[in-house]
Amino acid sequence: MPLWLQAGPRHPHSTETLPPRSRAPAPQPSTGPQKRNPRPPATPSPPPPGRQQREAGRSGGRGAEPHARANAQQGAAIMAAPSSSSSRALATALCLLLHLSLRAAAAMDPAEREALLRVMEAVSSDRNWREAAGADPCSSPWPGLECKPAPGGGGGPAARMHVARLDFGVPPNPTCKDTATFPLGAFALPELRALFLVGCFKNPDAITAFTLPPPANLSASRLQQLSVRSNPSLSGTLPPQLASIRSLQVLTVSQNPLIRGEVPQGLAELTNLVHLDLSYNSLTGPIPSRLGELRGLVGLDLSYNSFSGPIPSRLGELTQLQKLDLSSNNLTGGVPATVTRLKALTFLALSNNGLRGRLPAGLSDLRDLQYLIMENNPMGVPLPPELGNIARLLELRLANSGLSGSIPETFGLLSSLTTLSLENNNLTGQIPAGLSRLKRMYHLNLSKNGLDGVVPFDGAFLRQLGRNLDLSGNPGLCVADGAVVPDVGVGVCAGDAARKSSAAAGSSAGGEVTGGRWPAALLRPAAVALCCCLLL
């Protein structure tokens, strides 16, 4: 028996968000009465005496009737309380008969079975799947096959089971053969809700075309989730027939480097779509502005392609959007002001593009934003203080973006911040002391800028960051006390700078002598008094 026909857990697809599914129990094959713990054999019950007496009464005449009636009543009483052994046997037999009748009533439709077997023939690498599948594959589903009764079919125990989900490529699901072809037959399964083809088409000597049936054959499809991922030998363009599967809620065509061309405009007609992931392909052309018509979209990932042109302003119409990832493309222009309408946004990634200019005013109104990733864009503008007002930010990455000016004091208000990456910009001035109050920070990179002055971090903050602090490439930066500072890429301050740092620390301590030095507030009066004494 193939590995994927053996009982075992399903392989989770953790990289994708699936709508909640209730798993209907599939009918199990009959195995006969269940064995119980051994018990002492019960004494056989004697045959009911009333039966013999009734027979005697019928043949012996009227004189035997009273005696026969009494014995019949006694026999009925005995039969009304059968032994526990016979009761168990009767119940087991009834359950067995009921189970067999339900299996017969719920058998898979023969046409659907043949469609499933054609899918297996096109994809599966196992050789004896047809024999092992049996007459009714849903009666004993294997990993990678999920069956459910048709919605609206009454949901009773005798409801006919249908193929609801197919997974191929990742064990324990069925693996794909080297000559696998795209399974067009899957779209003939009338109740199929989810199809996963993950790592199926990998043979470099057998390029597989990404094709779909004609639109007329897809209009009745009930498919809700299609995932085609990690297929290095899957080639072609995104089939325009995808627009005919109007029931789609999750569409993932990702990590298929031979998938090229432009995004079909018709995808905007998939109004039930919640997640659209076309990342890590070789798609080109502009991002279709019509994607703004997908008003129910929660996640949009077009990263790691070769899209060009500006970011469509109509994406600001996706008011339910929580994740927008357009990173690692060839996008140009600025960040459209309509992005500030995406009030539900938690993740915004526009890194590794050719974006320029200022970020739109009102970006701080995105109260739920947690990740702002804009690195490697030639922005060429001052670092906006407004970013310090996005209270829930966890990661702020703006490295290598041509940013200028000083680091805003408002960044010290980002109490949830864990990562701040500002390396390789044109920042000047001193590091705000408020950054040391960010107790959740574990990664801080300010390297390769023009920062100067004394690093305002105490020993506790430096130990908190450890090796995740990089201040190198700032010739004007120094630390006051090298004994408490790990290797962060800057040297110890010279005498004057160190004294100024100590004086400032003493002043902040309320005028008390600190570290064996007089605070600056007392040095001037002491010097005046000394001069007066010398003149006298």
Side-chain angles (χ1 to χ4, degrees):
M1 179 177 292
L3 173 64
W4 50 270
L5 279 178
Q6 300 175 6
R10 294 181 55 84
H11 179 78
H13 294 275
S14 58
T15 60
E16 297 174 297
T17 305
L18 299 176
R21 304 192 314 275
S22 58
R23 191 183 300 272
Q28 298 297 319
S30 173
T31 56
Q34 295 182 349
K35 294 182 179 180
R36 298 178 180 269
N37 293 332
R39 297 175 180 268
T43 305
S45 300
R51 184 177 304 166
Q52 297 177 355
Q53 298 296 334
R54 283 196 300 272
E55 296 297 329
R58 291 192 185 97
S59 60
R62 194 178 279 272
E65 284 184 4
H67 186 67
R69 187 178 299 113
N71 285 334
Q73 292 174 353
Q74 181 182 7
I78 294 174
M79 292 179 69
S83 68
S84 59
S85 170
S86 59
S87 176
R88 287 195 302 272
L90 178 61
T92 301
L94 289 175
C95 288
L96 178 61
L97 291 174
L98 178 62
H99 182 70
L100 291 175
S101 64
L102 291 183
R103 282 191 63 200
M108 178 184 285
D109 181 83
E112 184 174 358
R113 177 183 179 274
E114 284 305 311
L116 174 61
L117 296 185
R118 285 196 300 270
V119 172
M120 296 299 299
E121 186 173 7
V123 178
S124 177
S125 62
D126 294 299
R127 296 181 178 180
N128 59 338
W129 49 265
R130 183 178 286 270
E131 294 78 10
D136 185 5
C138 281
S139 66
S140 182
W142 56 78
L145 170 65
E146 181 178 320
C147 295
K148 290 183 179 180
R160 171 166 282 172
M161 303 298 287
H162 297 274
V163 178
R165 173 170 171 154
L166 287 174
D167 291 73
F168 291 98
V170 179
N173 300 322
T175 55
C176 303
K177 60 185 178 181
D178 287 342
T179 57
T181 58
F182 204 84
L184 301 183
F187 299 93
L189 297 169
E191 300 296 335
L192 186 66
R193 296 298 195 269
L195 175 61
F196 290 83
L197 298 166
V198 181
C200 262
F201 313 109
K202 300 183 293 184
N203 184 5
D205 298 324
I207 301 300
T208 302
F210 188 9
T211 58
L212 290 179
N217 296 354
L218 295 172
S219 58
S221 174
R222 299 188 178 186
L223 194 67
Q224 296 176 353
Q225 183 163 7
L226 175 61
S227 180
V228 183
R229 291 189 292 111
S230 303
N231 297 289
S233 296
L234 185 66
S235 177
T237 60
L238 291 176
Q241 301 97 303
L242 287 169
S244 300
I245 312 176
R246 301 298 177 87
S247 55
L248 272 180
Q249 298 177 17
V250 178
L251 175 58
T252 301
V253 181
S254 176
Q255 303 174 50
N256 308 293
L258 298 184
I259 298 297
R260 59 194 184 279
E262 298 188 3
V263 176
Q265 294 286 336
L267 290 189
E269 300 171 10
L270 299 176
T271 54
N272 291 312
L273 213 56
V274 177
H275 292 274
L276 177 59
D277 183 357
L278 303 179
S279 62
Y280 289 89
N281 296 302
S282 298
L283 301 174
T284 57
I287 296 175
S289 61
R290 287 195 62 193
L291 293 182
E293 300 175 18
L294 300 173
R295 303 300 172 81
L297 210 59
V298 173
L300 176 59
D301 191 347
L302 305 178
S303 62
Y304 289 89
N305 282 285
S306 297
F307 291 114
S308 57
I311 299 173
S313 60
R314 290 197 64 186
L315 294 185
E317 300 175 19
L318 302 175
T319 55
Q320 304 299 317
L321 204 63
Q322 298 177 16
K323 174 185 176 180
L324 177 59
D325 192 347
L326 307 179
S327 58
S328 298
N329 282 287
N330 300 319
L331 301 175
T332 55
V335 179
T338 54
V339 168
T340 60
R341 300 178 189 172
L342 305 178
K343 304 300 183 182
L345 206 62
T346 62
F347 184 96
L348 176 59
L350 305 175
S351 58
N352 299 301
N353 280 290
L355 303 175
R356 296 178 179 272
R358 296 179 180 273
L359 294 175
L363 203 61
S364 60
D365 293 336
L366 302 181
R367 302 296 184 185
D368 292 329
L369 192 62
Q370 298 178 20
Y371 299 87
L372 179 55
I373 304 173
M374 288 282 302
E375 55 199 355
N376 298 318
N377 283 288
M379 303 294 290
V381 296
L383 184 57
E386 182 184 21
L387 299 180
N389 298 324
I390 308 177
R392 295 189 179 181
L393 267 186
L394 298 177
E395 292 192 15
L396 178 57
R397 297 180 180 269
L398 301 171
N400 195 30
S401 296
L403 299 172
S404 58
S406 60
I407 300 175
E409 295 283 348
T410 56
F411 281 22
L413 303 175
L414 298 172
S415 58
S416 299
L417 200 64
T418 62
T419 298
L420 177 59
S421 178
L422 300 175
E423 72 265 24
N424 201 23
N425 282 292
N426 300 316
L427 301 175
T428 57
Q430 297 187 353
I431 300 174
L435 295 184
S436 63
R437 295 193 296 268
L438 304 180
K439 302 304 181 184
R440 297 185 180 181
M441 181 84 73
Y442 68 82
H443 181 88
L444 176 60
N445 194 335
L446 306 179
S447 63
K448 299 179 182 178
N449 281 287
L451 302 173
D452 57 29
V454 179
V455 176
F457 303 150
D458 58 20
F461 186 71
L462 294 169
R463 286 189 293 272
Q464 171 185 323
L465 292 173
R467 295 182 178 273
N468 293 323
L469 172 64
D470 190 352
L471 303 176
S472 62
N474 292 282
L477 276 182
C478 62
V479 292
D481 189 351
V484 297
V485 178
D487 183 14
V488 295
V490 299
V492 179
C493 297
D496 291 341
R499 281 193 295 272
K500 289 179 182 178
S501 175
S502 299
S507 176
S508 64
E512 298 180 0
V513 176
T514 306
R517 298 183 178 91
W518 286 91
L522 299 179
L523 287 177
R524 187 175 294 105
V528 172
L530 180 59
C531 290
C532 291
C533 292
L534 292 175
L535 291 175
L536 293 176

